Amino acid sequence: MTAAVCCWFLSLALAPLFLGIINRTKAFFAGRHGVPWCQVYFDLWKLLHKGVVCSRTTTWVFRLGPMLGLAAMLGAAALLPWGAIPAGVAFTGDMILFAYAFALARFGTVLAALDTGSSFEGMGASREIWISVLAEPVFFVCLGTLVAVTHQGSLSGVIPALNPQVWPKAGLSLVLLGGALFLVLLAENARIPVDDPNTHLELTMIHEVMVLDHAGPDLAFIVYGAGLKLWVLAALLVNVLVPWKPLSPWGSGAVMLAGMLGVALAVGITESVMARLRLRRIPQMLLIAGGFAALALILTLR
Amino acid sequence: MWLLLAALTIMLLGGILAALWVRSATAAKFIGSGSLVLACALGLIPVAHALLTGSVENLALPWALPFAVFSLGLDPLSAFFLLPLLVLSALAAIFGQTYLREFSAPKLAGHAFFLNFFVAAMILVLLARNGMLFLMSWEIMSLASFFLVTLEHEKPAIQTAGWIYLVAAHLGVACLLALFLLLGKSSGSLEFSQWLAHPAPAALAGVLFTLALLGFGTKAGFVPLHVWLPVAHPAAPSHVSALMSGVMIKLGLYGLLRVLGFFSLPPLTLGWTFIAVGLLSGISGAVMALAQRDLKRLLAYSSVENIGIIALGLGLGFLGQASSSLTLVVLGFGGALFHLLNHAVFKSLLFLGAGSLAHATGTTDMEQMGGLLKKMPWTGSAFFIGALAACGLPPLSGFVGEFLIVLGALHGGSAPGAVQAVPAWAVLAGLIFIGALAGVVFTKAFGIIFLGQARRKESEQAHEAERPLTLVLAVLALACLGMGFASSWIFSLTVPVIAQLTHAAAPLLQNEAAEIGTLLRTLALAFGTLLGLTAVLFGLRHALLRGREQASANTWDCGAAQVTPRMQYTASSYVQPLTSLFRFFLRTRKQQEAPRGLFPADAALRTETPPVFYELIFVPLFQRVAWALSKMRWLQHGRVQLYVLYIALALAGLLTWKLRP
């Protein structure tokens, strides 16, 4: 239990650093020096010390959105094990709550965006929810395949069971799942090739445009929540793809952190070598992810 | 049982008395609604008793009709459906008497009469244990609801809606009549107990099941038999829509579950059928709900979607029976029944909310609303909770039902054997897709109606609904919250029903259910933690902002000089990426006047999403039927003597047929 709590706090503490690593990777590929590793921490610190300006159009929904989003992500982080270290909260079917936590966060942020009555934010909300409709079933088929491979009911049972003994039997499925989860991760977190986290004022943007009107602590909650969401999904990917799950907490922690570094580099490299897709290509990308997931599932049916 | 009969009597007497005092609106209000509320409260006692103890009561009274016995019964299955019926009817009656205040006294009297008869007929449908009694109650239910729907019968649109509803209801009854005749012929009696004791031969089972699926499916709103829902619901007064959507369409499912015991089909067939029907209804209901701009029509399509979800759960339960997996049985049936209650509550909440909105703004067109949360904080907050429940999100009741069904799908999917695994996977992917679409539908509904700025003057001048209306909404919103946190208790109510449906051994079932009950309690704890985390963040924000500047400003307008409410995203533009993704199905019609020239002055875009199934299936079908029947028109000439001759000939024909050797 202590280990689980430590892991949870470590997730909370390191999520902004994860964004820092991605940014530095992108800077490296672009031949720039890049912002400091800890820039996101500085940003959060700055935002937490500011006041807020709220639009006159808005209501309590606008203020609730960021809190709901962050609370859901804090909850999701508590449901995810680190290798062999079980999660702080584990019960049969916890993966369903895990996945619905993302939907709850989205419900909050999308309504907060619509609350401003701005066409910018309306556009962001419309696109965010459009992508989620395509990504959510894929994500669930991935989770379902994990259950079918391991015959375990909870995430804390599923993840440790994805050990080196399972890989010879279900390796192909797991690799396909890794591909599908990676695409879902990119889409859900508004990374290139779906959305560009660096553009604030272009019409293809999705996540960034939804939060235009948030300021101060509200924006800090949103930025931190988004970082945590990326961290949680990346940690799930590491859990699925890395077969080594040492029993000692230190070993599991080290494997997890190394894996996270790998995912951060992979995201950074993807963003560096790819351009953003045209908006109408995004369903096709998610369809590919769905194809991977479905194939993985069919392979488990043998 | 006697208490229920007393409740029925009070209800019917109240209705008749209200109708006799045609001239007094007060009489309609107090006698009509008062007797309904009293009767519902009275009826809850035996229902609670039956649900909590799982006892079965039967009562048979002699009846003068041939072949018919006035036999009633109260078992867990009936009681489970009676619970939302009684509670919601009482709430709807309270809501209705304020809601209809502006109507004339004769109309109110008629309304009170038909409302009481409608509720009484629904109760009788659930209690009837005789084919004749069942069909008669069913017919009274359909007719009474027809008159309730056409309350404002002067309006042509409402007349059309009423006709469509009446035709659909009677096509359904025709199938049921055939079903009951076949059952009666094969067993020689119209008593349900006889049918249960001597199930129809296997050769007939397929025909019987198809008839039941068509007849009850029309009432339940299975796609493509759902066409009356999106027409009748917007036409009816809101509290009637709430009752029809929250309770009446569930009676279609009740009928199906009831008659499934009268013939035996392999559970695997049932499982596949229910899952196919559920996927079709769920997905097409949700996609069509996306494209609506009329709030009540959107809610009607959402009911089709939710009936689909319930059918998915039932399908999983039958799969569990086929593979004798008790866990799957409990998860599937339990999830379906839980979602049934849950849908009854949140859909009533949303329909009644739509009623308050219609009162305040004079419209149900979402594109004319906007920014109403400031004007109607109570209605808006209740609608927020209803929308959250409709999206199936934690920590409300909506999540629990979907959780159970998804868990069942995960369980069934990891079982060996593709025959069971494949439909379970279909349920998993389909249900999540439906859930995600529901998320879009209800963020759209809440966001466009209550958030942003008012799009029309009427919405700007709107004010909060009267106290009784908001009170009813608050009760239902609290029920949504309570059912999320007390889900294990609500779930325990479904156990006797599952036992009755599956004839499973009670101790084993109890064990399984106890396990799931524990799980649901854990889930409630997780919900509590989630709320706790939100509260902590709220406190943190409050503490951080203490003493700091909290300014108000305009929404950031990107430097535009004149930002108007018309620049906001609309309901149609919010879902445009999705509707264009599903354009092959929705067939949205577009009329566009593109801006022309260097200094364009006018431009217009009109989109309209037609009811696809109605236009592609039913309109051509009924045209053909009308054409074929028009050939027989020479029989109708208005000469009474010849009509009498027809009757005599028909009687003579029947007589010779009966007397033939």
Side-chain angles (χ1 to χ4, degrees):
Chain A
M1 196 62 199
T2 328
V5 174
C6 288
C7 287
W8 188 64
F9 278 112
L10 214 53
S11 300
L12 265 49
L14 292 181
L17 182 66
F18 189 78
L19 285 167
I21 298 174
I22 296 177
N23 286 337
R24 283 299 279 259
T25 315
K26 286 166 73 175
F28 172 77
F29 271 81
R32 291 184 281 113
H33 180 68
V35 294
W37 297 100
C38 295
Q39 185 61 44
V40 184
Y41 293 101
F42 303 150
D43 289 348
L44 288 173
W45 188 252
K46 181 185 72 184
L47 288 171
L48 284 175
H49 285 81
K50 288 189 173 236
V52 290
V53 183
C54 286
S55 158
R56 279 188 204 97
T57 318
T58 57
T59 55
W60 55 264
V61 175
F62 183 74
R63 294 164 195 57
L64 177 70
M67 291 186 253
L68 203 59
L70 183 53
M73 286 307 110
L74 291 173
L79 289 169
L80 195 68
W82 279 33
I85 309 172
V89 185
F91 51 90
T92 315
D94 55 3
M95 69 276 284
I96 305 170
L97 187 62
F98 177 75
Y100 271 71
F102 294 100
L104 181 64
R106 194 176 301 115
F107 187 83
T109 45
V110 161
L111 285 184
L114 286 174
D115 201 6
T116 60
S118 152
S119 49
F120 276 106
E121 271 129 312
M123 181 187 305
S126 163
R127 288 175 178 171
E128 167 97 357
I129 205 123
W130 165 59
I131 289 171
S132 77
V133 167
L134 303 167
E136 257 180 41
V138 180
F139 189 56
F140 256 95
V141 175
C142 291
L143 291 177
T145 313
L146 291 178
V147 172
V149 167
T150 58
H151 296 281
Q152 295 287 329
S154 85
L155 277 174
S156 297
V158 166
I159 301 297
L162 299 168
N163 48 26
Q165 287 85 51
V166 167
W167 271 78
K169 273 192 299 180
L172 189 54
S173 281
L174 291 176
V175 170
L176 285 168
L177 279 188
L181 280 175
F182 188 65
L183 291 178
V184 169
L185 176 146
L186 293 177
E188 283 270 351
N189 289 290
R191 313 298 305 188
I192 290 176
V194 173
D195 185 17
D196 190 343
N198 290 335
T199 58
H200 278 271
L201 273 180
E202 282 180 44
L203 295 184
T204 43
M205 58 199 173
I206 301 167
H207 175 77
E208 290 296 330
V209 77
M210 282 206 302
V211 303
L212 274 178
D213 264 275
H214 287 282
D218 290 338
L219 187 58
F221 287 174
I222 288 179
V223 171
Y224 185 52
L228 206 54
K229 182 179 182 185
L230 184 58
W231 171 277
V232 168
L233 281 175
L236 178 67
L237 185 63
V238 173
N239 274 326
V240 170
L241 280 184
V242 178
W244 299 283
K245 309 232 157 62
L247 282 177
S248 84
W250 295 106
S252 257
V255 167
M256 177 54 112
L257 293 179
M260 292 301 280
L261 184 65
V263 177
L265 291 176
V267 173
I269 293 172
T270 314
E271 296 204 10
S272 304
V273 300
M274 277 192 81
R276 195 168 47 208
L277 289 173
R278 281 163 64 205
L279 212 53
R280 58 176 59 194
R281 297 268 176 222
I282 292 172
Q284 296 171 5
M285 178 188 129
L286 286 168
L287 220 57
I288 292 173
F292 282 172
L295 203 59
L297 184 60
I298 291 168
L299 286 174
T300 64
L301 272 179
R302 281 173 303 171
Chain B
M1 182 55 80
W2 287 105
L3 274 178
L4 269 171
L5 276 183
L8 278 174
T9 320
I10 294 176
M11 223 176 262
L12 296 175
L13 273 181
I16 293 168
L17 279 179
L20 287 179
W21 259 298
V22 174
R23 292 187 183 283
S24 159
T26 336
K29 208 163 144 178
F30 286 105
I31 301 178
S33 322
S35 64
L36 192 57
V37 173
L38 178 71
C40 288
L42 204 59
L44 271 177
I45 301 168
V47 167
H49 181 255
L51 268 183
L52 292 175
T53 60
S55 63
V56 179
E57 277 182 80
N58 284 306
L59 177 74
L61 302 173
W63 201 14
L65 275 179
F67 304 114
V69 183
F70 199 85
S71 56
L72 302 173
L74 182 65
D75 52 11
L77 180 63
S78 298
F80 190 80
F81 282 81
L82 276 168
L83 179 68
L85 167 58
L86 294 173
V87 174
L88 293 176
S89 300
L91 288 176
I94 297 173
F95 188 93
Q97 55 149 310
T98 313
Y99 182 72
L100 294 178
R101 221 173 0 149
E102 280 146 30
F103 282 86
S104 63
K107 267 205 164 162
L108 283 181
H111 177 80
F113 175 77
F114 287 120
L115 188 66
N116 284 19
F117 268 70
F118 176 51
V119 176
M122 286 200 286
I123 295 176
L124 265 181
V125 164
L126 288 170
L127 295 179
R129 293 294 180 270
N130 177 287
M132 187 75 98
L133 181 61
F134 184 93
L135 276 183
M136 283 179 75
S137 324
W138 188 268
E139 185 62 20
I140 295 174
M141 170 179 90
S142 296
L143 284 178
S145 55
F146 165 75
F147 287 110
L148 290 174
V149 167
T150 52
L151 177 71
E152 297 174 79
H153 53 78
E154 324 67 51
K155 298 184 183 164
I158 287 181
Q159 287 170 10
T160 323
W163 280 120
I164 291 180
Y165 175 49
L166 200 63
V167 170
H170 282 92
L171 287 181
V173 170
C175 292
L176 294 186
L177 198 62
L179 168 76
F180 281 29
L181 280 178
L182 282 176
L183 280 170
K185 198 161 169 1
S186 80
S187 72
S189 158
L190 285 175
E191 281 292 293
F192 283 6
S193 53
Q194 286 298 313
W195 293 351
L196 205 56
H198 312 283
L204 262 182
V207 180
L208 294 175
F209 181 55
T210 316
L211 283 172
L213 207 56
L214 287 174
F216 290 120
T218 311
K219 196 54 91 187
F222 288 153
V223 171
L225 307 169
H226 69 284
V227 285
W228 62 269
L229 273 132
V231 192
H233 281 87
S238 286
H239 60 290
V240 175
S241 314
L243 271 189
M244 283 169 66
S245 208
V247 183
M248 189 185 76
I249 61 171
K250 310 294 186 330
L251 295 194
L253 291 174
Y254 163 81
L256 260 182
L257 291 175
R258 176 68 68 192
V259 298
L260 281 181
F262 302 155
F263 44 83
S264 53
L265 272 179
L268 198 60
T269 318
L270 289 176
W272 276 75
T273 316
F274 271 93
I275 287 174
V277 167
L279 283 176
L280 180 65
S281 303
I283 293 177
S284 46
V287 171
M288 285 185 289
L290 269 184
Q292 306 306 320
R293 55 184 285 178
D294 183 290
L295 175 59
K296 289 176 98 183
R297 193 164 294 154
L298 176 142
L299 292 176
Y301 276 119
S302 150
S303 292
V304 174
E305 168 222 317
N306 279 289
I307 285 288
I309 295 180
I310 298 170
L312 288 180
L314 294 175
L316 276 183
F318 288 119
L319 281 188
Q321 263 191 310
S323 58
S324 10
S325 153
L326 209 54
T327 317
L328 191 50
V329 166
V330 174
L331 285 173
F333 286 123
L337 293 170
F338 192 98
H339 192 72
L340 193 145
L341 273 192
N342 162 40
H343 176 245
V345 174
F346 79 71
K347 191 48 66 68
S348 306
L349 166 59
L350 292 174
F351 262 119
L352 296 181
S356 293
L357 284 170
H359 248 273
T361 62
T363 178
T364 51
D365 182 1
M366 290 187 278
E367 306 283 30
Q368 305 200 11
M369 301 181 187
L372 287 171
L373 188 56
K374 285 210 190 86
K375 313 276 194 294
M376 313 172 71
W378 289 101
T379 309
S381 305
F383 201 94
F384 180 83
I385 290 182
L388 200 59
C391 294
L393 289 174
L396 297 186
S397 55
F399 176 72
V400 182
E402 289 190 18
F403 174 84
L404 291 170
I405 300 177
V406 172
L407 196 60
L410 286 173
H411 188 85
S414 48
V419 185
Q420 266 131 41
V422 170
W425 288 123
V427 170
L428 180 73
L431 184 62
I432 298 306
F433 189 51
I434 296 168
L437 286 172
V440 188
V441 170
F442 286 99
T443 48
K444 161 180 145 171
F446 183 78
I448 299 300
I449 295 171
F450 287 102
L451 304 179
Q453 292 183 48
R455 290 175 176 76
R456 287 281 190 286
K457 208 187 289 157
E458 290 79 12
S459 312
E460 218 165 295
Q461 292 158 352
H463 48 83
E464 181 60 279
E466 293 89 338
R467 189 61 61 74
L469 303 189
T470 46
L471 217 59
V472 171
L473 290 184
V475 168
L476 288 168
L478 283 179
C480 280
L481 264 173
M483 282 172 68
F485 282 93
S487 52
S488 64
W489 184 75
I490 303 278
F491 178 76
S492 69
L493 295 182
T494 68
V495 178
V497 188
I498 302 173
Q500 189 191 341
L501 284 174
T502 58
H503 314 292
L508 288 175
L509 200 65
Q510 291 291 350
N511 275 345
E512 202 64 55
E515 223 167 274
I516 292 167
T518 322
L519 184 60
L520 289 180
R521 273 192 290 280
T522 319
L523 203 59
L525 269 181
F527 289 169
T529 317
L530 196 64
L531 285 191
L533 282 171
T534 317
V536 166
L537 289 175
F538 180 80
L540 179 66
R541 182 182 188 273
H542 194 73
L544 281 173
L545 288 177
R546 187 173 297 154
R548 285 194 208 152
E549 186 194 15
Q550 296 193 45
S552 290
N554 283 336
T555 298
W556 189 69
D557 50 13
C558 202
Q562 267 187 317
V563 177
T564 69
R566 290 192 61 191
M567 289 180 184
Q568 296 175 93
Y569 250 53
T570 62
S572 325
S573 56
Y574 178 67
V575 293
Q576 189 272 333
L578 277 167
T579 44
S580 85
L581 196 66
F582 295 114
R583 61 184 174 278
F584 65 93
F585 174 72
L586 286 168
R587 294 161 185 269
T588 303
R589 285 192 275 262
K590 232 186 222 181
Q591 270 186 325
Q592 197 171 358
E593 286 167 41
R596 263 171 309 192
L598 289 175
F599 300 97
D602 295 326
L605 174 68
R606 243 173 248 107
T607 57
E608 188 206 344
T609 306
V612 184
F613 289 96
Y614 180 68
E615 287 198 351
L616 289 186
I617 302 180
F618 291 98
V619 169
L621 180 73
F622 278 90
Q623 271 169 356
R624 301 270 159 74
V625 171
W627 177 81
L629 290 182
S630 69
K631 302 284 167 208
M632 315 265 280
R633 198 160 283 164
W634 58 270
L635 281 169
Q636 280 183 322
H637 31 62
R639 264 178 253 152
V640 180
Q641 305 93 314
L642 283 180
Y643 287 173
V644 175
L645 181 67
Y646 294 161
I647 295 172
L649 283 178
L651 281 177
L654 282 174
L655 199 64
T656 36
W657 184 64
K658 184 72 189 168
L659 294 177
R660 78 195 189 285

